[in-house]
Every structure is written in structure tokens, then in C-alpha cells.
Amino acid sequence: MRVFCLCVLFFLLGCDHNRIFEKHIDLKGFWPQQSAQLFEFDIIDLGTPYQITGMVRNKNTYSFNNLYIKYELFNEDSLIKTDLAEVILFEPKTGKPLGTGMGSTFDRNFDLIKSYSFNNPGHYKMRLTQFMRIDTLQDIDQIGLRVATIIQP
């Protein structure tokens, strides 16, 4: 009985009712600049603002302390929003990895769009492209996207 109660507790704590989409793409340790990563999701509820969050998994041997990511948000095939996000992966003064992780691999979540209200229900796409000054980034293992509703108090 005690084991059952613990399982139910972990299940309830692990549920994320706000999330409508989450996906991670394995980059196998390198991310070429011409290799945009595409995420597709559907929006149904227009009465709620959404938060769009990115995730990067990198090795501690990544050559820079930051990562620039260009994002483009599409409704069907129409571009509706684009911007450039800077993700700080390492403490600038100490070089200590930021985010969560153990050993040589760390995950860092970052805001792409803190609050966005979609005008139309339908199929949306978010394209992420690394926007650093070199063609191929080494030691980037994964890139991810999460779309969640924002709970209003």
C-alpha cells in the first residue's frame, strides 16, 4: 500500500497540465548553421497566453560561454514572429556551467517568448537556427522546445 501511494504521489507531481508541446532533437554533438531544427505544434485555445521555452544540452567542453539562437514562428507558412535569443551556458568569470547536469553534460532552459497570445487556432511551426559566427558548433547534443499555457492568478 505504501508503494502504491508513493507511485501516485510521484505521478501527480510529475504531471505538467500546462504543457501542450515538448520535444527534444538529438544533434549528436554538433549543430551546423545551415541545419535549422523545426518543431511543429497545434494551438486550440486562444483565450490563454503561452510561454515558449527552449532547452539546450551541451558538453562542458563547448568552446563559448554563450549561444545565439535565431527563432522564427510560423502559422501555416506565414512568418509571424522572429528574433534572436542569447543563451548564457557558462558563468563568464568562472567558467562554471549553468543549468542542471552532472559530469560533462548540462541542460539549460531559456525563454524564447515569455508570453504570446496566438490570434488564430491551427498548426504552428517554430524554427531554431544556431546563429554563432562559426559554421558548425561542436559539443551541442540536443535542442528542445516547450510550449505551455500561462496560468493567470
Side-chain angles (χ1 to χ4, degrees):
M1 180 66 174
R2 209 178 288 178
V3 173
F4 175 74
C5 290
L6 284 174
C7 288
V8 170
L9 179 65
F10 286 127
F11 175 76
L12 291 175
L13 291 175
C15 289
D16 185 355
H17 300 291
N18 301 339
R19 179 183 61 215
I20 64 158
F21 174 82
E22 186 166 359
K23 181 180 176 184
H24 300 95
I25 297 174
D26 187 10
L27 300 174
K28 299 182 180 13
F30 64 96
W31 191 5
Q33 199 169 46
Q34 71 273 10
S35 178
Q37 303 303 314
L38 188 65
F39 300 88
E40 300 185 39
F41 54 94
D42 294 311
I43 296 295
I44 299 169
D45 184 9
L46 299 180
T48 306
Y50 292 85
Q51 180 181 29
I52 302 176
T53 307
M55 187 283 298
V56 64
R57 177 172 290 160
N58 63 284
K59 299 268 193 261
N60 63 359
T61 53
Y62 177 68
S63 298
F64 306 97
N65 78 326
N66 65 347
L67 171 63
Y68 285 101
I69 296 177
K70 178 183 177 184
Y71 70 82
E72 298 166 291
L73 179 63
F74 297 88
N75 178 232
E76 301 302 330
D77 289 327
S78 298
L79 179 65
I80 57 174
K81 185 167 180 61
T82 185
D83 205 350
L84 187 65
E86 181 184 16
V87 185
I88 305 296
L89 299 175
F90 297 93
E91 185 67 41
K93 290 184 181 179
T94 65
K96 178 183 175 191
L98 301 173
T100 60
M102 293 179 62
S104 64
T105 303
F106 292 86
D107 294 344
R108 180 84 161 129
N109 294 322
F110 56 95
D111 287 332
L112 287 169
I113 303 174
K114 289 184 180 186
S115 180
Y116 188 79
S117 296
F118 290 90
N119 294 328
N120 300 304
H123 190 71
Y124 287 83
K125 300 174 188 174
M126 176 76 84
R127 183 168 52 203
L128 302 181
T129 307
Q130 67 95 344
F131 218 65
M132 299 295 283
R133 293 183 182 188
I134 63 171
D135 178 57
T136 301
L137 293 177
Q138 302 292 323
D139 300 320
I140 300 291
D141 292 336
Q142 284 186 356
I143 190 74
L145 188 77
R146 180 179 189 273
V147 180
T149 58
I150 297 174
I151 300 297
Q152 301 295 329

